[in-house]
Amino acid sequence: MKFIKFKNEKDASLFVANELIASIKTNPSIKLGLATGSTPIPLYQDIANDYAKNKTDWSHVSIFNLDEYIGLSENHEQSYKVFMYNHLFSKLNVNLKNTHFPEHGINYDELIKKNGGIDIQILGIGTNGHIGFNEPGSTLDSLTRVVDLTPETIQVNANKFFNGDITNVPKTALSMGIASILKAKKIYLLAFGKSKQYAISELKKAKAFNINFPASALALHPDVTIIYDEEAESDL
Ligand code: GLP
């Protein structure tokens, strides 16, 4: 794992946006794995700004999102489909037919494989080390499946996205698994702010897979870059 520290999330997000845009210019039909949560919002804003200015062509890009809540209607404002549409897809010339989310009845890992696999995967990280919705206890060989969210994740997401009301947060989700994520050719994990100090310090220590800290699986992948800011650095 390579670690790159930035002064703040603004600089970090712009760096990743420029990496993605350069990759699209090299490979216009690139397959991207994208994440939701608060972390990638400035990244998506930078990509939207680039499109407004430079018209980078997204019409042949395919996007596979990491996860989706179970039980929210498709047009619920907190569904990840709506999140991605609002923050990114609606701002680009992306072809919505090329955008994908895990769904019941679809073999998502097969779908990704048939499309040639994910070239670049963007990840955030939960305060407990989850990636996608692979909570502690997720196994290294896990593929896309239904997962239970931990009380910690439900509370964090309630505070960030559901006005603090845990009763409105779905308790289950469909998520790409750890094995699904590790199949991506290149991975960027983004972590900003004090709440991610524990996650960054654990990632720095990770040498092997630890089932209690799912992101440790990234230590087994040959091309992972951890992008973090000064606030996420700690002396832990
Ligand atoms: C959520 C998402 C993850 C995300 C993580 C961190 O529950 N399922 O994909 O990376 O938690 O969220 P945030 O970026 O808001 O800190």
Side-chain angles (χ1 to χ4, degrees), residues 14 20 31 33 36 39 58 60 65 67 79 95 98 154 185 195 210-211 215 225-227:
L14 191 59
L20 287 183
K31 321 291 174 218
T36 51
T39 305
W58 283 72
H60 302 290
N65 260 78
D67 46 15
S79 89
N95 182 345
N98 297 339
I154 292 167
K185 296 179 186 85
S195 69
N210 166 5
I211 197 162
T225 307
I226 310 292
I227 304 284

Side-chain angles (χ1 to χ4, degrees), residues 36-39 67 80 124-126 130 132-133 153 157 160-161 196:
T36 51
S38 51
T39 305
D67 46 15
Y80 286 164
I125 187 165
H130 73 245
F133 267 132
T153 298
N157 287 1
K160 282 190 186 165
F161 298 108
K196 301 295 166 74

